[in-house]
Amino acid sequence: MNIDLNGRTALVTGSTQGIGHAIVIRLAEAGARVVVNGRGEERVKDAVERVRAAVPGADVLGIAADVASEDGAGTLIGELPQVDVLVNNLGIFEARPVLEIDDAEWRRYFEVNVLAGVRLTRAYLPGMIKRGWGRVLSISSDSSVVTPVEMVHYGVTKTAQLAVSRGFAKAAAGTGVTVNSVLAGPTHTGGVEDFVAGMVDEDLPWDELQRRFMREHRPQSLLQRLIEPSEIANMVAYLSSDLASATTGGALRVDGGYVDSILP
């Protein structure tokens, strides 16, 4: 199976680290011109250099902009008026008792996890439809269908993300443009390492910490380990390619069997 993205421009939001950075690298390996995005100039520059080191000869651009705000999204769109592949990866999460989450925090999570992707999809989808080809992907989570008691606000925004993605897929029906969500399971990133340590015991060695976290807090996982970001990126690369031309309006799982369902 040859995933060839030569001639395609792919934007991945929140791609200076973690899952987003792994996606940028995988798309660059497939030949895409990739655009790294983050809020800070220095972090974006550093991420661009890491992509070039991982993929010699990669065509990579960095744009620093906070796409969770209207002004930041406008800045990015002004610098990059057209893309072929949009990966709405930007997201935030934090453990918080649901009764302690105030209105401001609910709004912040909605702005970052939902509305940022809505803004960019609204900006780039018309051009994709006009050209007769495009891919829009939202990096969602198993929490979209299995609401975690310690992160209800996060889970709710990820559920909304699925509905938004399905709605945009309907808007693009019959155009050659596909819109999908990717449900990532518990994934090994720097942020998740901190989260796991806070949920279990930060003094334990990482391997034991990870096993205890999965056993005590994510026992449904059939993989019984954290997923590596590159494993999420592989699914994204496939869905970004011509090979996935008949897959749209879907929520594709890379969750290690965490969601107890026989449907994808």
Side-chain angles (χ1 to χ4, degrees):
M1 183 178 290
N2 180 30
I3 296 177
D4 183 1
L5 295 176
N6 279 285
R8 308 294 191 191
T9 296
L11 165 65
V12 184
T13 63
S15 49
T16 60
Q17 62 183 352
I19 293 173
H21 194 66
I23 290 171
V24 165
I25 289 173
R26 185 67 187 89
L27 297 182
E29 289 173 341
R33 174 188 183 233
V34 294
V35 182
V36 173
N37 163 253
R39 289 181 299 176
E41 289 279 358
E42 290 305 314
R43 292 190 69 178
V44 169
K45 288 179 181 177
D46 177 66
V48 166
E49 291 307 312
R50 283 185 278 124
V51 173
R52 288 177 175 150
V55 188
D59 186 354
V60 53
L61 171 69
I63 300 178
D66 181 4
V67 298
S69 70
E70 291 184 61
D71 289 345
T75 296
L76 186 146
I77 294 162
E79 293 189 38
L80 186 72
Q82 176 179 310
V83 300
D84 303 296
V85 178
L86 168 63
V87 182
N88 292 311
N89 170 73
L90 177 65
I92 55 175
F93 67 94
E94 182 184 17
R96 182 78 63 83
V98 68
L99 294 177
E100 297 178 9
I101 304 168
D102 61 20
D103 287 0
E105 192 72 346
W106 277 105
R107 292 190 188 100
R108 184 171 77 96
Y109 268 72
F110 188 82
E111 285 279 348
V112 177
N113 291 354
V114 182
L115 198 51
V118 169
R119 288 191 187 100
L120 294 180
T121 303
R122 192 172 58 211
Y124 289 121
L125 187 58
M128 295 179 185
I129 291 172
K130 184 177 181 179
R131 296 188 299 275
W133 197 97
R135 300 286 185 264
V136 178
L137 296 164
S138 293
I139 307 304
S140 188
S141 166
D142 56 74
S143 296
S144 63
V145 291
V146 184
T147 306
V149 67
E150 73 277 4
M151 294 194 298
V152 173
H153 54 332
Y154 172 75
V156 167
T157 59
K158 289 299 176 177
T159 303
Q161 199 175 43
L162 299 188
V164 165
S165 182
R166 177 71 181 181
F168 277 123
K170 291 181 178 180
T175 66
V177 179
T178 67
V179 185
N180 292 288
S181 297
V182 174
L183 271 63
T187 305
H188 182 194
T189 65
V192 168
E193 284 189 10
D194 294 338
F195 174 73
V196 168
M199 292 291 291
V200 186
D201 183 342
E202 62 185 43
D203 292 329
L204 289 173
W206 169 248
D207 285 346
E208 176 59 20
L209 197 70
Q210 175 182 186
R211 285 194 293 272
R212 274 193 57 185
F213 172 77
M214 297 301 289
R215 184 170 62 249
E216 296 175 7
H217 298 280
R218 300 293 186 268
Q220 306 98 309
S221 172
L222 303 182
L223 201 61
Q224 297 184 358
R225 64 166 173 83
L226 290 176
I227 297 162
E228 292 301 320
S230 60
E231 295 175 302
I232 310 296
N234 288 335
M235 175 66 84
V236 172
Y238 166 71
L239 291 172
S240 299
S241 74
D242 288 327
L243 299 174
S245 56
T247 303
T248 192
L252 289 302
R253 290 165 48 193
V254 190
D255 67 341
Y258 176 76
V259 177
D260 192 7
S261 171
I262 60 174
L263 294 176

